[in-house]
Amino acid sequence: MIRIECQPILTAAEMRAAENAVIATGVSVETLMDRAGTAIAEAVRRLAGTNEVLILCGPGNNGGDGYVAARVLAEMGVPVRVAALSEPKTDAAKSARAGWLGPIETLAEAKHAPILVDALFGSGLTRPLDAITTPTPNRSPADAGAQDRPLGERLEFSWAPASARERSVVECLHSLGNAALLSIAVDLPSGLATDSGQALSTPPVFDLTLALGAVKPAHLLQPAARYCGQIRLLDIGVPTVSQAEVLKTPSLPTPGPDSHKYTRGMVAIIAGTMSGAADLAALAAMRAGAGYVTLLGDSQGPPHALVRTPFSDQALANDRIGALVIGPGLGRDDTARARLEAALNAGHPLIIDGDALRLLDPDHIKALKVPVILTPHAGEFDALFGKSDTDKITRARDAATRANAVVVFKGADTVIAAPDGRVRIAQGASDWLSTAGTGDVLSGAIGAMLAAKLDPLDSACAGVWLHGDAARRLGPAFIADDLAEALRSARASL
Ligand SMILES: NC(=O)C1=CN([C@@H]2O[C@H](COP(=O)(O)OP(=O)(O)OC[C@H]3O[C@@H](n4cnc5c(N)ncnc54)[C@H](OP(=O)(O)O)[C@@H]3O)[C@@H](O)[C@H]2O)[C@@H](O)CC1
Ligand SMILES: [K+]
């Protein structure tokens, strides 16, 4: 089981292409399925101990992985049962099914077990699970329970119309998941759309998802990601490359004996109508490691290390400024517009956030000759680039190309896109980040990275990573001031 940090992220089609490339070298689908099922069985055995395992198998290759895992677990001596939704449809899944010599229960009648393994649907799911009625096996009501059926006896399913007494697949999955001590999804929790991260149906929240061969967008994008629990990658011998990767822990420059405040980087923050937001960005820039932070605008108070200067074209012209942050608390009045115009023309690398994003034209940004990082949340993104039903990765990538800027599309699933198509997605954001001022903190942290001369994509990634790590350290109910302070601990952990 491999941690997913830094791993390539593949869509369903990209994963199929990667598998087909391996198949073209003479490796059969059955071999890939055998590798997948064996890796699943090994992972499950480590977690299950002596507990009984129930594996739910669907009609496609995800179900095939489940049958292989069941066979291998049984060979390992782990108590295992199988429940199926229907007969397998693909040749590989049929062959995997044939290798399982134990009985098969119906999903609707399956009794729970301490360990639940969901191999109903993976990357092939195209429609909601509720569209499925539970199948009924062709056997008499007097027939004994499936568990008592002799080894190897086949159970033929037929598809019956839904009746009031039939349980939907979603209901079965929830009730078995709720009763389990540990629930594990094979590749993806059943019900999730691989590429968009939408929940076509609502699965239970799993404890662990075992991604096969590669991380998929649904492991990271909301709402899908919330159902995955911990995510681990299983290697099935399929080489993968992608321009999209899971955000990694940054490697940041540390000061040496020759360092001084300017070599560590000077960040200027432009204040506006709500100076507290600019104060938060400034504090964050300092705690993220900037050598010199100046706040241009009308504000007072600690910390004393923050250099407060009235806004002027002359103050903005300081050629030591390595990153200029504009937007937090800027307002949207004429003064705000004038300050934004001055910032765009100042010739410094820019982080544009908050109110400034509401005043911008993306095609204007494209014409700028300096590195630009935009940090919109969903509302600001829609206002700047327009609404769309397309997935978040594609939207962020298209926006980055259109504006010729790094775009940090914020949220519980922050997507960072560069104009050249590279994408990084953060995982495991704290839900407690949903509080006022955390966006201001992020813009300051990114400012510190850009001023330290990291390239724009690396700056955005490092800022998002530090921000996420600081939030995790704080636990519940922190405020943005705490978050800015905690950036120091996040940096110290590197
Ligand atoms: N390819 C490889 O080399 C390897 C692939 N691997 C594994 O394969 C998985 C992908 O397999 P997959 O493509 O067969 O898709 P899967 O998720 O099993 O489901 C598709 C089936 O479900 C059906 N179906 C869809 N929606 C439905 C609905 N709502 N209600 C009812 N039915 C529905 C659909 O029917 P159809 O849409 O064609 O009518 C089809 O029969 C992947 O996640 C990984 O686990 C590994 O073994 C490694 C090697
Ligand atoms: K699954």
Side-chain angles (χ1 to χ4, degrees):
M1 286 195 280
I2 304 163
R3 288 180 181 277
I4 65 169
E5 175 174 319
C6 203
Q7 292 291 334
I9 303 163
L10 272 69
T11 62
E14 287 169 341
M15 188 65 216
R16 263 194 308 277
E19 286 162 350
N20 287 338
V22 172
I23 289 165
T25 67
V27 177
S28 67
V29 179
E30 285 76 7
T31 302
L32 290 180
M33 188 173 282
D34 214 64
R35 288 180 195 165
T38 303
I40 293 159
E42 282 165 358
V44 171
R45 185 185 56 165
R46 278 168 58 186
L47 299 165
T50 55
N51 287 300
E52 185 185 50
V53 179
L54 171 64
I55 303 187
L56 310 180
C57 294
N61 287 350
N62 195 252
D65 297 340
Y67 288 115
V68 173
R71 171 177 58 77
V72 177
L73 280 167
E75 287 165 2
M76 290 168 168
V78 176
V80 55
R81 291 188 287 121
V82 170
L85 176 62
S86 68
E87 291 294 336
K89 282 189 189 170
T90 68
D91 289 345
K94 284 176 188 165
S95 143
R97 158 72 186 87
W100 164 248
L101 300 179
I104 298 185
E105 301 164 40
T106 62
L107 179 66
E109 294 173 346
K111 294 204 172 48
H112 66 82
I115 312 294
L116 177 71
V117 177
D118 163 22
L120 289 174
F121 296 101
S123 56
L125 188 75
T126 51
R127 48 197 187 276
L129 300 181
D130 288 336
I132 314 164
T133 58
T134 50
T136 52
N138 288 336
R139 60 189 172 90
S140 77
D143 198 358
Q147 303 93 307
D148 305 325
R149 188 168 293 106
L151 278 188
E153 183 181 317
R154 290 187 66 91
L155 188 64
E156 300 299 333
F157 292 91
S158 63
W159 294 88
S163 77
R165 292 176 55 222
E166 279 180 338
R167 292 197 303 161
S168 74
V169 174
V170 178
E171 280 174 335
C172 295
L173 203 48
H174 275 264
S175 94
L176 294 169
N178 288 341
L181 293 178
L182 179 72
S183 55
I184 301 171
V186 172
D187 210 9
L188 284 166
S190 297
L192 304 181
T194 310
D195 296 346
S196 69
Q198 292 305 308
L200 298 172
S201 292
T202 306
V205 175
F206 282 81
D207 296 304
L208 173 68
T209 293
L210 299 171
L212 296 174
V215 176
K216 320 292 180 328
H219 294 127
L220 299 157
L221 295 183
Q222 296 294 348
R226 74 187 59 159
Y227 301 106
C228 293
Q230 293 280 317
I231 300 158
R232 292 290 182 275
L233 177 65
L234 298 181
D235 182 12
I236 57 169
V238 174
T240 53
V241 284
S242 172
Q243 281 209 304
E245 291 176 5
V246 183
L247 186 68
K248 66 175 181 191
T249 307
S251 163
L252 298 180
T254 49
D258 298 329
S259 298
H260 54 73
K261 59 191 177 193
Y262 295 119
T263 59
R264 282 178 49 187
M266 179 176 180
V267 181
I269 319 271
I270 295 180
T273 52
M274 282 176 57
S275 64
D279 280 342
L280 281 171
L283 184 61
M286 290 191 281
R287 291 306 190 195
Y292 190 127
V293 181
T294 181
L295 196 143
L296 308 181
D298 312 316
S299 99
Q300 291 174 346
H304 303 300
L306 176 60
V307 181
R308 297 171 189 272
T309 314
F311 181 89
S312 69
D313 288 345
Q314 191 187 4
L316 204 54
N318 185 341
D319 61 9
R320 285 177 149 146
I321 294 173
L324 183 59
V325 180
I326 182 158
L330 182 68
R332 300 184 204 170
D333 57 10
D334 288 347
T335 305
R337 286 179 190 280
R339 288 185 179 184
L340 177 59
E341 191 61 29
L344 295 179
N345 294 322
H348 304 303
L350 282 164
I351 293 97
I352 306 179
D353 182 47
D355 286 331
L357 294 167
R358 306 275 184 177
L359 303 174
L360 271 183
D361 170 359
D363 300 319
H364 183 175
I365 307 168
K366 190 169 187 135
L368 296 175
K369 298 279 181 279
V370 291
V372 177
I373 301 174
L374 308 174
T375 56
H377 58 52
E380 290 158 351
F381 190 99
D382 287 352
L384 192 54
F385 296 106
K387 286 181 190 280
S388 161
D389 290 333
T390 316
D391 69 88
K392 190 165 179 175
I393 298 174
T394 306
R395 292 185 79 196
R397 196 177 255 150
D398 289 351
T401 309
R402 178 171 167 199
N404 192 31
V406 168
V407 173
V408 180
F409 191 169
K410 296 185 295 197
D413 50 2
T414 296
V415 176
I416 307 157
D420 63 6
R422 284 177 298 161
V423 166
R424 304 291 178 261
I425 307 181
Q427 57 163 329
S430 163
D431 293 337
W432 291 98
L433 277 167
S434 50
T435 184
T438 53
D440 307 324
V441 172
L442 177 64
S443 64
I446 294 174
M449 301 298 112
L450 196 58
K453 304 228 175 327
L454 269 67
D455 88 25
L457 179 62
D458 289 344
S459 297
C461 288
V464 169
W465 188 93
L466 289 169
H467 189 254
D469 188 72
R472 278 188 291 278
R473 284 166 193 281
L474 289 168
F478 58 80
I479 61 170
D481 306 57
D482 303 328
L483 186 65
E485 292 288 353
L487 290 169
R488 184 165 168 264
S489 307
R491 260 217 86 150
S493 73
L494 293 173

